[in-house]
């Protein structure tokens, strides 16, 4: 990775301090097949569950389970009627977080199981528990369902029509919520007087989230203790515990949630699912363990999908190329039910709406629309991706309208470096930034001026090169609209053996937490990384937590671990002073050693102090035995990483083929704990941004059937589709946490989409094509050129 801050690796004894390129400690078991995933768990006596999912997107259903129940290997068949007739509380709707300024109706929340109506294909109707998974699937096939099909509505625009059939009878207009921010009348006055105005309409297509491992779960209930244990592919073990408690009306103190190793999440697993609730309820009902492993096609139909947002954006620019106002109207496809975070992120996304630009006036409106499709929710980059995509398309169009180079127009409008903390027109408070150097570094890597000259020459020869800039910003750290805790929990323990145990409430499923968290602890405690063990994903071992989402972990969990380790050092300082017969103010701590100032020979290692603390003899007055500390670190506000991605593509107008020539990414995520892990996150996120730009897209037919319901029908980017990336960085520490870090997990997805789409449009500028909606596959590009030629 190119960088302004590269330095030689430390020659000291303590490998793993913050800023070092340490190999990921978790990769050994992951790459050698030693990791234990949900379906690997040995669960003696467990019944195997299979789900009957709706074939249709909207229908009244009547279910006959008699033939399935009569099968020899079937232990139980559970339907909504089974739940209503049992002695257990009937599960409620799954909780959501509406977000500030939004009111929602509970009848729109996702049910655990369909009662007499299904509202999207794939909705659970029944659960079969059998001796093995094959018998369970055979029994599912034996269940008879009478579907009395109803009218469906699939597209948000159609759902808002006066004569549209309601997805829910209690919401006849299919509007789940409406939200508005800004003064529309004032915005219209600015647009009326502006020298240049541009607009764009973009349909950000639905994305099927595709972690490498389909979802699965195991639930067990001990009737003797009343303990319910759920092991699930989740990003939010502690939140899932609270969600299960709320849905099943069961005490959270008697619920344990454990997340085994998990093959990715991307946001799709930071929400509760019906299957987790169904397994938990069924385990309590049968008083025996139940396990379920989802299939890829089942997950296509049931996992929350991403994006599904239509935007209408407008930008007003004066004669000098300064942006005067931005307006975005958004239609957000909620699907058939409101999922956990979906309404809230339609509000909190406005924190990044103005991007890196000093825009004095902004207006935003959002309408949440119900359709007969799989629910939508968080996906890597959430709604920030759609807003930045819209904004960056507008900036490119404004540059062309004003006859200003796209890079120059951005330069003229960046928030000045001396303006931070900067309050945006939508009320967000940016913590720190210096946007110009990131753009200049990206342009220098490309030799931008020479590239523009080459582009002009190639056009004369009938070759169409495009250069697309995506200047992105992202918010990281908090939950959703203040309704989700913004803190993160940690406990740091030094054992008598010298081992350090770090417990925290996030979930590690590909981010490298075991490595980066150990680096934070090693840096603060002065101990070798190999002596540090990180524990996550388990409510039986980690007292509290919030989870992994919103690029929050380095900021919140890293800050919490740093704080707990600092408390450990301070307690150790007091005990070391007691042993060394010195004043605590005279004790210095460096590289894992406490020593008296000016007398380094009078010293104790932190391991010696830990052993002494655990014996607990002759401690300072008021000090308890042991050397550990707990923190709930809560940052002051969001952090806002930023960067610039530039894609260079060649487009063949006769075939619509898009081929990458170069891709440059310059990122600023504050202080980097492990630069190699940061680079990996950028690569992964960018691949997903490119996937949305050129390849991916969930498609439903008019009946609400998902026609891209498997890998055979849904195009995922492959290695050959993703260009080699040239990465570099700038470093602007965040003042809102002691480590100076910002998030990085979603950055590439936010910038990669905008850069790639802008590059394709730039290549086709000579044809003056209309704005295209992703995915910009060969047919879409070819058709746009054809229409422009005609």
């Amino acid at each position: 990775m190119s960088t302004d801050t590269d330095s030689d690796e430390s020659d000291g004894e303590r490998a793993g301090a913050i800023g070092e390129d340490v190999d990921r400690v978790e990769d050994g078991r992951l790459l050698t097949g030693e990791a234990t995933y949900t379906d690997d768990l040995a669960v003696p006596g467990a019944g195997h569950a299979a789900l009957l999912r709706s074939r249709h997107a909207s229908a009244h259903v009547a279910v006959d389970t008699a033939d399935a129940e009569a099968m020899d290997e079937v232990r139980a068949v559970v339907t909504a009627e089974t739940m209503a007739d049992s002695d257990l509380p009937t599960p409620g709707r799954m909780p959501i977080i509406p977000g500030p300024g939004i009111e929602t109706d509970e009848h729109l929340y996702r049910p655990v199981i369909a009662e007499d109506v299904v509202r999207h294909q794939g909705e659970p109707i029944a659960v079969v528990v059998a001796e093995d998974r094959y018998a369970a699937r055979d029994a599912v096939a034996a269940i008879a369902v009478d579907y009395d099909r109803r009218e469906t509505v699939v597209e948000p625009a159609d759902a808002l029509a006066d004569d549209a059939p309601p997805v829910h009878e209690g919401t006849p207009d299919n509007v789940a919520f409406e939200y508005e921010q800004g003064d529309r009348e004032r915005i219209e006055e600015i647009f009326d007087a502006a020298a240049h105005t541009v607009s764009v309409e973009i349909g950000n297509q639905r994305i099927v989230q595709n972690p490498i491992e389909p979802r699965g779960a195991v639930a067990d209930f001990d009737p003797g203790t009343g303990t319910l244990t759920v092991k699930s592919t989740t990003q939010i073990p502690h939140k899932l515990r609270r969600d299960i408690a709320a849905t099943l009306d069961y005490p959270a103190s008697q619920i344990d949630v454990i997340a085994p190793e998990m093959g990715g999440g991307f946001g799709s697993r930071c929400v509760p699912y019906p299957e987790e609730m169904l397994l938990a309820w069924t385990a309590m009902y049968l008083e025996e363990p139940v396990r379920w492993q989802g299939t890829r096609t089942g997950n296509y139909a049931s996992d929350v999908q991403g994006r599904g947002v239509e935007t209408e954006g407008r930008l007003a620019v004066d004669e000098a190329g300064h942006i005067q106002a931005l307006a975005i109207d958004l239609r957000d496809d909620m699907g058939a039910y409101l999922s956990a975070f979906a309404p809230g992120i339609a509000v909190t996304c406005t924190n990044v709406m103005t991007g890196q630009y000093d825009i004095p006036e902004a207006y935003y409106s959002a309408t949440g629309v119900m359709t007969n499709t799989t629910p939508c929710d968080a996906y890597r980059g959430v709604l920030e991706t759609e807003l930045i995509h819209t904004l960056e398309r507008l900036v490119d169009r404004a540059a062309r309208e004003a006859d200003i180079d796209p890079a120059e127009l951005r330069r003229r409008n960046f928030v000045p470096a001396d303006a931070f903390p900067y309050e945006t027109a939508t009320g967000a408070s940016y913590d720190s930034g210096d946007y110009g150097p990131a753009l200049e570094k990206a342009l220098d890597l490309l030799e931008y001026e020479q590239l523009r000259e080459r582009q002009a020459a190639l056009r004369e020869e009938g070759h169409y090169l495009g250069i697309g800039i995506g200047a992105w910003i992202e918010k990281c750290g908090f939950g959703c609209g203040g309704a989700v805790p913004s803190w993160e929990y940690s406990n740091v323990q030094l054992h008598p053996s010298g081992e350090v145990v770090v417990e925290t409430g996030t979930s590690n499923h590909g981010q490298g937490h075991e490595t980066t968290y150990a680096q934070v602890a090693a840096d603060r405690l002065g101990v070798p990384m190999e002596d540090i063990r990180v524990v996550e994903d388990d409510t039986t071992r980690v007292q509290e937590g919030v989870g992994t989402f919103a690029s929050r972990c380095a900021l919140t969990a890293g800050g919490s671990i740093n704080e707990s380790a600092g408390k450990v050092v301070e307690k150790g300082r007091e005990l070391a002073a007691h042993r060394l017969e010195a004043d605590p103010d005279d004790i210095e701590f460096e590289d894992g050693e406490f020593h008296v100032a000016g007398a380094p020979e009078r010293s104790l290692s932190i391991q010696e102090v830990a052993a002494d603390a655990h014996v607990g003899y002759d401690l300072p007055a008021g000090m308890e035995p042991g050397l550990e500390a707990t923190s709930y670190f809560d940052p002051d506000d969001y952090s806002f990483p930023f960067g610039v991605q530039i894609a260079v593509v060649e487009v063949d107008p006769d075939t619509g083929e898009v081929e990458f020539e170069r891709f440059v990414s310059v990122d600023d995520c504050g202080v980097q704990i492990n630069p190699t892990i940061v680079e990996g996150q950028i690569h992964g996120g960018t691949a997903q941004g490119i996937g949305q730009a050129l390849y991916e897209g969930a498609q439903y037919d008019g009946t609400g059937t998902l026609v891209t319901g498997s890998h055979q029908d849904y195009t995922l980017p492959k290695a050959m589709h993703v260009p080699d990336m040239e990465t570099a960085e700038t470093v602007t520490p965040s003042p809102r946490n002691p480590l100076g870090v910002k998030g990085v997990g979603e950055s590439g997805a936010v910038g990669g989409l905008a850069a790639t789409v802008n590059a394709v449009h730039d290549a086709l500028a000579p044809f003056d094509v209309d704005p295209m909606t992703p995915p910009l596959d060969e047919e879409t590009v070819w058709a746009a050129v054809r229409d422009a030629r005609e």
Side-chain angles (χ1 to χ4, degrees), residues 291-606:
R291 68 186 309 156
W292 165 74
Q293 179 57 53
T295 63
R296 181 65 63 183
T297 52
N299 284 184
Y300 261 71
S302 63
D303 284 20
V304 294
Q305 295 175 357
R307 313 297 187 244
V309 171
E310 300 171 0
T311 55
E312 297 179 11
R314 295 181 296 151
L315 200 67
V317 181
D318 68 15
E319 285 286 3
H322 297 120
I323 300 173
Q324 296 176 291
L326 168 67
I328 295 179
D329 294 291
L330 179 145
R331 283 199 299 259
D332 198 354
D333 187 351
M334 295 287 102
Y337 299 103
L338 298 182
S339 185
F341 291 100
I345 59 181
V347 176
T348 59
C349 65
T350 61
N351 285 284
V352 302
M353 176 177 157
T354 57
Q356 299 183 18
Y357 309 114
D358 186 12
I359 301 177
E361 297 283 349
Y363 173 84
Y364 172 81
S365 73
T367 303
V369 185
M370 308 306 296
T371 61
N372 290 116
T373 56
T374 304
C376 282
D377 209 314
Y379 171 61
R380 197 172 193 171
V382 291
L383 268 171
E384 299 160 14
T385 304
E386 292 91 305
L387 291 188
I388 294 297
H389 177 204
T390 303
L391 175 61
E392 288 300 283
R393 289 289 299 119
L394 288 167
V395 171
D396 260 25
R397 290 175 68 80
R400 188 175 180 191
E401 174 73 18
D403 195 23
I404 300 172
D405 181 86
E408 176 58 28
L409 187 69
R410 288 172 169 85
R411 286 191 192 101
R412 295 183 190 181
N413 288 282
F414 281 152
V415 174
D418 60 2
F420 293 89
Y422 171 79
E423 184 170 343
T424 72
T426 60
S429 174
Y430 290 178
D431 53 344
S432 62
D434 191 359
Y435 302 146
L439 174 63
E440 301 307 324
K441 178 169 281 192
L443 297 175
D444 289 346
L445 285 170
L446 283 175
E447 298 181 317
Y448 181 71
E449 297 300 332
Q450 294 92 319
L451 185 60
R452 284 293 185 192
E453 292 172 3
R454 179 168 159 255
Q455 178 188 44
L458 285 171
R459 284 177 177 174
E460 294 295 325
E461 300 171 7
H463 296 284
Y464 298 93
L465 200 69
I467 306 164
I469 301 174
W472 58 268
I473 193 165
E474 182 196 356
K475 71 176 189 302
C476 305
F478 269 6
C480 184
V484 174
S486 55
W487 50 263
E488 192 50 79
Y489 167 90
S490 73
N491 177 268
V492 174
Q493 311 155 26
L494 266 76
H495 290 252
S497 63
E499 180 188 25
V500 178
V501 176
V502 174
E503 300 173 348
T504 188
T506 52
S507 168
N508 184 24
H509 46 274
Q511 294 87 352
H513 289 175
E514 288 183 47
T515 306
T516 53
Y517 292 169
Q519 286 182 257
V520 173
D523 190 80
R524 192 66 190 265
L525 298 174
V527 301
M529 269 191 67
E530 55 266 27
D531 290 346
I532 300 173
R533 184 161 55 93
V534 175
V535 178
E536 296 177 275
D537 296 306
D538 190 339
T539 66
T540 69
R541 302 180 64 189
V542 182
Q543 176 180 323
E544 259 293 4
V546 178
T548 297
F549 53 88
S551 299
R552 67 187 302 274
C553 296
L555 174 60
T556 58
S560 184
I561 293 164
N562 179 74
E563 193 170 275
S564 292
K567 294 175 182 177
V568 165
V569 169
E570 291 310 306
K571 182 176 180 180
R573 187 192 310 276
E574 187 177 351
L575 181 53
H578 186 67
R579 291 288 180 262
L580 296 171
E581 299 181 340
D583 190 289
D585 290 341
D586 294 331
I587 298 296
E588 297 180 353
F589 180 72
E590 186 177 5
D591 293 333
E593 296 277 336
F594 296 99
H595 66 85
V596 179
E601 70 281 359
R602 295 177 60 195
S603 66
L604 290 169
S605 70
I606 195 169

